Amino acid sequence: VFFWCACCLMVAWWVSASDEHCPELPPVNNSIFIAKEVEGQILGTYVCIKGYHLVGKKILFCNASKEWDNTTTECRLGHCPDPVLVNGEFSTSGPANVSDKITFKCNDHYILKGSNWSQCLEDHTWAPPFPICKSRDCDPAGNPAHGYFEGDNFTLGSTISYYCEDRYYLVGMQEQQCVDGEWSSALPVCKLIQEAPKPECEKALLAFQERKDLCEAIENFMQQLKESGMTMEELKYSLELKKAELKAKLL
Ligand SMILES: *[C@@H]1O[C@H](CO)[C@@H](O)[C@H](O)[C@H]1NC(C)=O
Ligand SMILES: *[C@@H]1O[C@H](CO)[C@@H](O)[C@H](O)[C@H]1NC(C)=O
Ligand SMILES: *[C@@H]1O[C@H](CO)[C@@H](O)[C@H](O)[C@H]1NC(C)=O
Ligand SMILES: *[C@@H]1O[C@H](CO)[C@@H](O)[C@H](O)[C@H]1NC(C)=O
Ligand SMILES: *[C@@H]1O[C@H](CO)[C@@H](O)[C@H](O)[C@H]1NC(C)=O
Ligand SMILES: *[C@@H]1O[C@H](CO)[C@@H](O)[C@H](O)[C@H]1NC(C)=O
């Protein structure tokens, strides 16, 4: 009974622009229409009454040939639009009332990203915004420039390993696991190995060879390394390069 009484509430003004008028718009049930002049143009706004939400165009223009844009605006039951959650569910069904609170839950194998609740506000919107349900499986992994990964399973819990092409070394995590739809670390990068081993490395190695006692030699080596400011990463690849050089000499 309420709806029959509340129907057809419509207020319209048409404001004259120069000498002509914009035609009267067809009424939209359960709405209020407000027209005003903005920078010489007539602008019309539909506002749905309490308990209804707007579907279609909210703001219309009356253009230079005194016509409104073609519109299919409607005010539908429910103060806020019906909630949507693909691959999940929410706590209510049916039209929402102002200040209604709903909670969200994702189906098995999906993880909720965003807020697990939302509330219908006076202005016909939901806040916080609706979450999404994201698959716990990962998207196919990407390849870094000059590198590749091994592994063909991107499902939850799977692992993949990254490798670099010859003459490149990997910076970042080599092993990655699919955890709740995301790879466990950022994509590693492949960096070009510098042609010659760094002189700092050579110096440290010499310091190592100078000593007969292994402990002293290591201490000497570490000291030299510390002074050079070389990172472990740089040291590792300098040594690898040295190894490759020695191998090449033996063949
Ligand atoms: C508007 O409401 C009237 C009366 O309830 C109804 O007859 C009419 O079909 C409605 N119009 C639209 C577009 O829903
Ligand atoms: C005004 O809008 C009508 C309907 O959308 C359109 O047919 C007409 O070409 C428009 N005129 C101008 C001057 O934009
Ligand atoms: C508005 O568009 C609908 C289809 O979207 C069409 O049926 C109707 O005739 C159009 N009305 C005007 C005034 O152009
Ligand atoms: C909204 O309020 C009406 C009456 O007050 C009630 O019947 C309806 O179930 C409410 N809707 C929701 C989604 O709670
Ligand atoms: C919503 O998330 C909070 C923590 O962010 C949690 O404490 C609460 O139980 C969750 N509610 C539901 C219905 O899942
Ligand atoms: C991927 O791994 C999961 C478990 O980690 C396993 O259940 C599934 O069968 C694997 N799929 C393929 C195509 O190998």
Side-chain angles (χ1 to χ4, degrees), residues 233-250:
E233 204 80 64
E234 284 172 316
L235 173 68
K236 187 174 150 203
Y237 295 102
S238 284
L239 289 176
E240 248 166 44
L241 209 66
K242 194 123 189 97
K243 191 173 112 190
E245 261 177 17
L246 290 174
K247 238 187 201 166
K249 270 185 204 158
L250 287 175

Side-chain angles (χ1 to χ4, degrees), residues 92-97 100:
T92 55
S93 54
N97 296 326
D100 274 358

Side-chain angles (χ1 to χ4, degrees), residues 3-4 7-8 27-30 73-75:
F3 303 124
W4 291 108
C7 272
C8 292
V28 170
N29 287 347
N30 306 301
T73 303
E74 254 187 275
C75 284

Side-chain angles (χ1 to χ4, degrees), residues 61-70:
F61 287 99
C62 176
N63 68 16
S65 41
K66 301 289 166 274
E67 284 179 89
W68 292 102
D69 348 349
N70 188 6

